[in-house]
Amino acid sequence: MLAMDYRGPKRVRATQKPMPEIKHPQDAIVRVTRSCICGSDLHLYNGNVPDTRVGMTFGHEFCGIVEEVGSEVTKIKVGDHVLVPFNVACGECHFCKQGMFGNCHESNTQASAVGGIFGYSHTAGGYNGGQAEYARVPYANVGPTVIPEGMDPDDAVLLTDVVPTGYQAAEMAGIQKGDTVVVFGAGPVGIMAARCSWLFGAGRVIIIDKEDYRLEFARNYANCEAYNFEKDMDDPVVFIKKQTDFMGADCVIDAVGAEAAGNAMQTITGRKLLLQAGSATAMHWAINSVKKGGVVSVVGVYGPTDNLIPMGNVLNKGLTIRGNQASVKRLLPRLIEHVQNGVINPKALITHRIPLEEVAEGYRLFSAKLDNCIKPLLVFPSSNI
Amino acid sequence: MENTLRDPQKLPGWGIDANPENDPTYPMREPRMNVSQDPDSKHRPASLQPEDVEVLKSIERPNVSAVFGESSPPVGLSGMIRRFAFKYSESHYGHWLPLLLADRVNVVEGIIEDLGQGKVPNIFAEKGYAAEWKHNRTAFVAKMATIAAVTIGSILILTRDNDKKNKYQY
Ligand SMILES: [Zn+2]
Ligand SMILES: [Zn+2]
């Protein structure tokens, strides 16, 4: 089968690889029909996530047709078209029982902090991902969800990560009716977080990024205010204070993570020297621009090593900081409802369709922010759905 | 492209997911079990994936999870460095920095592996430069020209140094 193949920082290709096999009675094998490249794949692509091994296949956002199931799989059957949440979750452990599917304790041997994630380095369990014609899906009774009748698979594939992550970002921000919400990062997740903030009753939503094309997209898609931190302001923290009568935003969402631009020291120590787990610029801005007693919600991906965070201000300001990988499975019923009722229109985020054979160009296009790319979708020679 | 303040109540879906008892800790308000309140907290799935490849284990969890990925078991020198890294906990630089080093070593191993299979990696294609050529040609050409100029410049400097050395050799 054809699969994306990581060869080193900024080097990927499509290679023939062996077919995945059932390894556990609750496994399924899925023939992938849609697979996205995610902004968080770029952390892997750039070589910033420890234990990303040469030969891995990335891809944690995919849907596909069930080809084969293990002996204990009862919830899905061969021929079902399923969307596969990015978390590998057992559904039975202490954490899964509380709906924390993003924190499963039985899906990752190689780290205790993070659960298993498809195609996301050995630090997240060492699973091959869905940027391939076929994928092994463990715990097939838990994650994979049959795509509802009439739902466009383009919408379904975004329910595997982007929509639930954006939604959970807004949920974790503890938005009260009328709150001013600031979102750092106008990538697909930031845009979705801005959109979902309205669902929790925000009174004002502001998104901040440095790419005009992304800001324009966000302004239209999420009905929010959008500002360029390089052009519209000297200092984003002061800018937000000015916008909020010098009080600070009620809630701030960090949808950037370790690839943040905008601070030379952070770039050198974090992104270049890898002495920090990426650049914590967005985190600094978030902590410093939220009001006292406010909430900072973090969905931007940070690496596992140390970050230089203004922890003193977290204390001084009495902040609540919440972050997590989205527990996709917990949120899916509500989000499917929202998609079906037209409250959220996920597929409108997709700007590019790239054949799997051209995966290297897809990664380059997305990471270099070429051709106004918001969200690239990989399409498959073997799939005609 | 103007920023205007919107009347949020006119947006479809505004406020429909707001919880009347919402406070900044939502959804932590949902009942949260202590490990001690959950007699079943050590429960594991009935079947365990057989350990037929080498899986490195975090020292912060005693057993192998019931399923695991086996995309790229540790190999060669990078594998040795990874095994060393897994002697340290996740809260220690001794864990993460060797892993990052192993990743870099692994890249070289990947190239050697390709060559061993008679395949010269097409690095231009793997870096996806075709996309730069298509969508970012001017900047891309300038970047490549800079790299070429620096390379040629370095060669000239190195050669000149050699000439100098030769001058004083009698
Ligand atoms: Zn993703
Ligand atoms: Zn679990």
Side-chain angles (χ1 to χ4, degrees):
Chain A
M1 66 155 187
L2 198 62
M4 176 274 189
D5 183 13
Y6 173 75
R7 304 311 298 175
K10 294 191 193 297
R11 277 179 56 218
V12 301
R13 64 191 182 206
T15 308
Q16 287 295 328
K17 287 193 180 183
M19 282 285 288
E21 291 167 17
I22 301 263
K23 298 282 180 186
H24 181 268
Q26 291 181 41
D27 282 0
I29 305 296
V30 161
R31 177 165 61 86
V32 179
T33 53
R34 297 278 190 292
S35 185
C36 292
I37 305 177
C38 176
S40 46
D41 286 330
L42 301 180
H43 306 307
L44 299 171
Y45 178 69
N46 290 329
N48 290 348
V49 180
D51 221 351
T52 302
R53 299 182 194 170
V54 168
M56 278 200 79
T57 295
F58 299 171
H60 58 268
E61 303 179 358
F62 61 100
C63 48
I65 301 200
V66 180
E67 282 276 311
E68 195 186 342
V69 290
S71 58
E72 290 176 18
V73 175
T74 53
K75 300 275 173 64
I76 56 169
K77 55 183 195 304
V78 172
D80 283 347
H81 196 185
V82 293
L83 67 92
V84 182
F86 73 90
N87 332 95
V88 181
C90 75
E92 305 176 39
C93 71
H94 180 70
F95 304 102
C96 283
K97 267 189 282 184
Q98 298 174 73
M100 296 171 69
F101 295 95
N103 307 86
C104 176
H105 204 57
E106 287 292 352
S107 58
N108 185 5
T109 293
Q110 293 162 91
S112 64
V114 64
I117 300 175
F118 289 101
Y120 214 77
S121 86
H122 280 252
T123 299
Y127 298 93
N128 275 324
Q131 290 169 7
E133 288 182 285
Y134 294 87
R136 172 193 168 212
V137 177
Y139 298 131
N141 289 329
V142 182
T145 301
V146 177
I147 299 173
E149 190 92 14
M151 181 181 280
D152 189 330
D154 286 358
D155 280 325
V157 75
L158 293 175
L159 285 170
T160 61
D161 179 0
V162 175
V163 181
T165 299
Y167 185 90
Q168 192 172 308
E171 187 189 54
M172 290 189 300
I175 298 167
Q176 315 279 303
K177 279 207 174 138
D179 273 356
T180 296
V181 181
V182 172
V183 181
F184 284 108
V189 167
I191 292 171
M192 191 54 70
R195 179 75 196 83
C196 291
S197 292
W198 298 120
L199 305 184
F200 293 92
R204 191 177 174 192
V205 180
I206 298 171
I207 197 164
I208 293 181
D209 196 277
K210 79 177 170 85
E211 299 290 339
D212 281 330
Y213 79 90
R214 306 215 292 184
L215 290 166
E216 191 177 354
F217 195 101
R219 201 177 273 126
N220 294 326
Y221 183 87
N223 282 304
C224 63
E225 296 164 66
Y227 298 96
N228 187 319
F229 70 76
E230 284 185 342
K231 296 179 182 166
D232 300 335
M233 60 193 78
D234 294 328
D235 178 339
V237 173
V238 177
F239 177 82
I240 291 165
K241 292 280 170 65
K242 281 185 184 162
Q243 290 285 320
T244 53
D245 285 334
F246 293 96
M247 295 298 275
D250 298 294
C251 319
V252 178
I253 295 170
D254 168 2
V256 178
E259 301 286 299
N263 176 312
M265 184 60 90
Q266 293 275 357
T267 303
I268 293 165
T269 58
R271 288 160 72 190
K272 303 293 181 207
L273 300 177
L274 301 176
L275 291 176
Q276 297 195 68
S279 153
T281 306
M283 175 64 91
H284 276 251
W285 288 349
I287 290 173
N288 294 336
S289 60
V290 76
K291 74 174 182 189
K292 294 169 194 171
V295 184
V296 174
S297 165
V298 187
V299 287
V301 173
Y302 288 89
T305 40
D306 301 56
N307 272 109
L308 301 173
I309 297 294
M311 212 58 210
N313 287 350
V314 175
L315 168 76
N316 290 336
K317 297 177 71 171
L319 302 188
T320 300
I321 299 186
R322 299 204 58 196
N324 206 347
Q325 299 284 355
S327 282
V328 179
K329 171 85 178 169
R330 174 174 67 82
L331 299 167
L332 268 181
R334 183 63 169 158
L335 295 176
I336 286 174
E337 212 176 289
H338 282 335
V339 173
Q340 286 174 330
N341 295 336
V343 168
I344 303 173
N345 174 15
K347 67 168 179 277
L349 289 173
I350 297 170
T351 50
H352 287 72
R353 287 169 187 275
I354 296 157
L356 180 59
E357 290 88 337
E358 293 168 24
V359 66
E361 285 148 64
Y363 269 88
R364 170 65 62 171
L365 188 88
F366 191 33
S367 79
K369 300 188 173 71
L370 304 175
D371 199 29
N372 293 347
C373 184
I374 299 281
K375 186 71 180 172
L377 181 74
L378 292 172
V379 290
F380 289 79
S382 56
S383 152
N384 44 17
I385 293 173
Chain B
M1 227 174 61
E2 275 287 293
N3 281 307
T4 44
L5 283 174
R6 322 245 168 189
D7 176 2
Q9 307 205 25
K10 294 204 175 107
L11 296 172
W14 183 80
I16 56 177
D17 288 345
N19 179 340
E21 279 147 52
N22 197 354
D23 75 24
T25 62
Y26 180 78
M28 274 176 147
R29 269 292 182 81
E30 303 291 319
R32 190 171 59 146
M33 283 184 289
N34 296 328
V35 170
S36 60
Q37 286 170 327
D38 177 13
D40 211 18
S41 65
K42 300 287 185 304
H43 174 84
R44 308 200 66 200
S47 312
L48 306 179
Q49 180 178 340
E51 229 182 304
D52 49 8
V53 294
E54 182 180 359
V55 190
L56 298 173
K57 301 174 193 64
S58 165
I59 62 171
E60 293 181 41
R61 51 167 304 136
N63 48 30
V64 175
S65 53
V67 304
F68 52 86
E70 44 176 27
S71 60
S72 315
V75 288
L77 177 60
S78 67
M80 287 165 63
I81 302 170
R82 293 191 206 284
R83 282 180 208 111
F84 167 80
F86 274 83
K87 293 184 167 49
Y88 294 93
S89 87
E90 290 159 61
S91 60
H92 204 291
Y93 267 131
H95 182 69
W96 301 111
L97 293 182
L99 284 177
L100 284 167
L101 173 68
D103 289 347
R104 301 299 172 265
V105 171
N106 201 191
V107 171
V108 180
E109 290 171 337
I111 292 172
I112 294 169
E113 184 198 343
D114 271 347
L115 295 174
Q117 291 167 356
K119 181 154 88 184
V120 180
N122 182 347
I123 291 185
F124 186 91
E126 288 174 353
K127 283 188 171 278
Y129 281 144
E132 293 266 7
W133 178 249
K134 194 167 164 205
H135 299 290
N136 195 27
R137 191 165 302 175
T138 324
F140 180 60
V141 169
K143 183 176 148 193
M144 287 300 154
T146 314
I147 292 174
V150 170
T151 314
I152 293 167
S154 317
I155 291 169
L156 286 177
I157 290 166
L158 290 171
T159 347
R160 195 185 57 191
D161 280 347
N162 285 345
D163 288 349
K164 251 185 212 163
K165 272 180 212 144
N166 291 340
K167 243 184 230 170
Y168 297 101
Q169 275 172 6
Y170 293 101

